Amino acid sequence: MAKDSQSKPTLGNERPDIGSMIRVNQAGEYGAAQIYKGQLAVMGEDAPDSSAIHLMAEQEQRHLDAFDRMIVERNVRPTALQPFWKVAGYALGAGTAIMGPRAAMACTAAVETEIDLHYQEQMEQLADADEPELLGKIAEFREEELEHKQTAIDSGAEETFGYPVLSAAIRLGCKLAIGLSKRI
């Protein structure tokens, strides 16, 4: 299998794997968009948190569009797991929305906790790399993801019955998805 054009280390320095970063970020934003689609399909337009979910979904779509462009511009192979992430993301969103609005927000809080850690790690890896566009987008998107997390917490995410277990399970799933999407 051919390597991404951006994933070769430079001589003497361990260069961040830019292709892997773009692939996993695109996959994550795709999955997030599917989560919100699933939540909105169950909750409908009149639910108390629907307008907040719509706003978060619009931002996730903008993030996805940016990473979709980078995939094409940099000739990065997208994850082969995208069909799975479509189903899994939608099911996670719909499933948590069925549990109630607070559970839907608990899902958002858990996902955004992992995305914050993931983006922070990438920003550290890119600190000395000559990748201002990528670093700038990750920093911008991280701030919006943190806003999503705060919106979820303000909407009662942590008051969800079984929140620690639900959050831990979703965070574990996110870690697994990140690890798999970097490589596959």
Side-chain angles (χ1 to χ4, degrees):
M1 186 174 286
K3 287 216 169 220
D4 296 331
S5 63
Q6 297 291 317
S7 63
K8 297 176 186 169
T10 59
L11 294 177
N13 293 328
E14 187 65 30
R15 178 168 160 65
D17 186 346
I18 303 302
S20 177
M21 284 183 181
I22 293 170
R23 176 176 27 265
V24 71
N25 293 353
Q26 188 272 348
E29 298 297 350
Y30 180 78
Q34 297 305 313
I35 289 170
Y36 290 128
K37 283 180 184 177
Q39 289 177 343
L40 289 168
V42 170
M43 294 172 69
E45 299 298 321
D46 298 328
D49 295 317
S50 290
S51 62
I53 292 172
H54 271 292
L55 176 61
M56 292 186 287
E58 288 170 12
Q59 289 176 324
E60 298 295 355
Q61 186 61 52
R62 190 171 45 78
H63 302 176
L64 176 58
D65 291 344
F67 287 117
D68 281 346
R69 278 190 301 277
M70 286 185 207
I71 279 199
V72 171
E73 291 168 357
R74 294 172 180 245
N75 195 30
V76 173
R77 175 187 52 80
T79 180
L81 297 172
Q82 195 157 6
F84 179 75
W85 298 149
K86 180 177 184 175
V87 173
Y90 191 91
L92 178 60
T96 55
I98 288 169
M99 294 168 62
R102 287 184 178 161
M105 288 297 177
C107 175
T108 295
V111 169
E112 300 302 13
T113 296
E114 286 307 313
I115 298 307
D116 172 39
L117 296 171
H118 171 71
Y119 277 166
Q120 183 62 41
E121 180 182 312
Q122 285 187 342
M123 289 169 58
E124 290 169 9
Q125 292 172 358
L126 291 170
D128 295 327
D130 185 23
E131 289 288 341
E133 178 195 12
L134 181 57
L135 181 57
K137 287 295 182 192
I138 291 171
E140 174 189 345
F141 297 165
R142 179 178 173 258
E143 288 304 314
E144 290 178 354
E145 306 294 6
L146 288 170
E147 290 172 13
H148 299 174
K149 179 182 175 182
Q150 191 59 53
T151 297
I153 290 169
D154 292 346
S155 296
E158 295 171 326
E159 298 166 24
T160 303
F161 177 77
Y163 176 76
V165 173
L166 179 63
S167 178
I170 293 170
R171 288 183 65 187
L172 180 61
C174 288
K175 289 177 189 175
L176 180 63
I178 288 168
L180 290 172
S181 292
K182 283 180 183 177
R183 293 164 185 82
I184 299 174

